[in-house]
Amino acid sequence: MSASKLLPLAACVTAALLLASCSSKRAPQPAVVPGPSAGISGPDDFNRPHKDGAPWWDVDVSKIQDAIPMPHYGPVKASPYVVFGKQYYPIQDARRYQAVGPASWYGTKFHGQATANGETYDLYGMTAAHKTLPLPSYVRVTNLENDKVVILRVNDRGPFYSDRIIDLSFAAAKKLGFAEKGTARVKVEGIDPHEWWAQQGRPVPLVLANNQPAKAAVAQPVAQPVEHYSPPPTQHAAAVVPVQIDAKKNDLLAVSGLFLQVGAFANPDAAELLKSKLSQTSSVPVFISSVVRDQQILHRVRMGPISNQGEAEQLQSSVRLANLGQPTLVRAD
């Protein structure tokens, strides 16, 4: 290679080294929110599984940065909405929000799908789903069992089952140390982006001009339409991990005899939901019998015991008419 060609190459290398040496001194950069056509983590030929769970491709989550709180000047998604007949009233401001309770996570079944505010869910993104926080907003989540902390962008709705207060991305649960366990007791705190940047000793970075408020206008209250949203029963399931089943509890419920099995779920919340609906439509006892199959917990929703074939057929017909499933006759195990 001639000397004339080496000089430009050396200049490029020097410039690259200078940029690299400055990168550690730069202020945190706003996280890029993936759009519907943006690339997300994982294989190009990703096939969504029928059951939710952990990814089969590995990413070092220690290298994934927390979400960076940025002021949001546009409209937020905070309209009242209905899920399974229950109405939810989102709050308009997340900055002073605080709550303590169980958290879960959701993964491969929803990877690449649209979140409640139209962004693309990436299980390796630092995001979360919440029932009443405005979308988008930012929260600090602390695992009270090990004091690990993450900052997340709330861009989705859920969880709608049991007493969980927030659903995290797989990456967030992994960084908090409970991805394998499935759930953890956490503290959730809303973040004021301006205060957060002040604590870093830096001004809030400039945002795109079309995101800045043109004038300091006083927000006028407007009537919010009620949205109707029906997530699938398996949405936002906790991680499924092999654990010891309480055999004594199952033995007490599943006495000898015949039963109708209406459903079987990896998600315990989905099983509880079906159990609740069945209990409202029939006086026959409804219970959940859990077993470990193929290294996963299966929560079976059953009705009975049933004394004879005629009773079984009558009960099967009533369950079908209520659109609650296709029950099958089984024996106790």
Side-chain angles (χ1 to χ4, degrees):
M1 186 178 291
S2 65
S4 61
K5 292 181 178 180
L6 284 173
L7 287 175
L9 177 61
C12 290
V13 172
T14 302
L17 290 173
L18 286 173
L19 286 173
S21 66
C22 294
S23 62
S24 61
K25 298 179 182 179
R26 295 173 62 191
Q29 297 299 303
V32 177
V33 177
S37 61
I40 56 174
S41 67
D44 294 333
D45 58 347
F46 175 75
N47 291 318
R48 186 169 296 107
H50 295 294
K51 295 181 180 179
D52 199 14
W56 51 88
W57 64 96
D58 190 30
V59 174
D60 185 357
V61 296
S62 66
K63 297 181 179 179
I64 300 177
Q65 287 188 347
D66 283 1
I68 297 177
M70 292 295 295
H72 181 78
Y73 297 115
V76 297
K77 190 178 182 67
S79 300
Y81 64 97
V82 176
V83 174
F84 298 132
K86 181 177 180 180
Q87 191 155 357
Y88 295 88
Y89 297 91
I91 60 178
Q92 302 293 318
D93 190 343
R95 292 176 294 178
R96 298 295 178 259
Y97 176 85
Q98 286 195 13
V100 173
S104 53
W105 59 268
Y106 59 122
T108 52
K109 186 174 178 61
F110 308 96
H111 183 68
Q113 292 191 4
T115 62
N117 73 337
E119 297 172 9
T120 302
Y121 174 63
D122 186 339
L123 57 81
Y124 276 115
M126 296 301 285
T127 59
H130 195 278
K131 291 187 283 287
T132 57
L133 286 176
L135 307 181
S137 56
Y138 295 88
V139 293
R140 180 182 294 101
V141 181
T142 304
N143 185 343
L144 298 178
E145 299 169 8
N146 58 19
D147 293 329
K148 293 184 177 180
V149 181
V150 294
I151 293 177
L152 307 174
R153 176 181 171 88
V154 180
N155 65 354
D156 206 358
R157 289 291 180 224
F160 297 110
Y161 311 101
S162 71
D163 59 346
R164 296 169 192 161
I165 62 171
I166 194 168
D167 247 348
L168 310 184
S169 67
F170 172 78
K174 191 80 172 175
K175 291 185 75 172
L176 286 176
F178 74 88
E180 290 76 14
K181 179 182 175 184
T183 59
R185 186 170 175 79
V186 302
K187 181 178 182 181
V188 181
E189 302 170 280
I191 294 177
D192 182 335
H194 290 91
E195 289 184 3
W196 186 87
W197 280 96
Q199 292 168 0
Q200 314 307 309
R202 300 186 179 97
V204 178
L206 293 177
V207 294
L208 296 177
N210 59 3
N211 284 337
Q212 292 179 342
K215 295 181 181 179
V218 178
Q220 299 295 326
V222 295
Q224 296 284 0
V226 176
E227 300 175 3
H228 290 266
Y229 172 53
S230 298
T234 55
Q235 183 168 3
H236 301 177
V240 178
V241 293
V243 298
Q244 184 176 357
I245 299 299
D246 189 346
K248 292 183 178 179
K249 180 179 179 181
N250 284 343
D251 289 343
L252 290 174
L253 293 171
V255 296
S256 60
L258 295 175
F259 300 87
L260 282 186
Q261 181 165 307
V262 186
F265 304 88
N267 180 1
D269 291 334
E272 290 287 352
L273 180 64
L274 178 57
K275 175 187 173 183
S276 175
K277 289 182 176 293
L278 289 170
S279 298
Q280 295 171 9
T281 60
S282 174
S283 59
V284 176
V286 184
F287 63 95
I288 296 174
S289 173
S290 301
V291 293
V292 175
R293 297 279 171 82
D294 299 325
Q295 298 298 305
Q296 286 190 335
I297 306 172
L298 197 62
H299 305 278
R300 305 171 301 184
V301 182
R302 294 183 170 184
M303 304 179 70
I306 299 168
S307 57
N308 54 63
Q309 185 70 29
E311 182 185 356
E313 292 175 356
Q314 184 178 3
L315 192 55
Q316 284 176 313
S317 178
S318 65
V319 172
R320 292 192 187 102
L321 287 174
N323 292 320
L324 294 177
Q326 298 293 328
T328 56
L329 195 61
V330 298
R331 290 191 178 277
D333 56 4

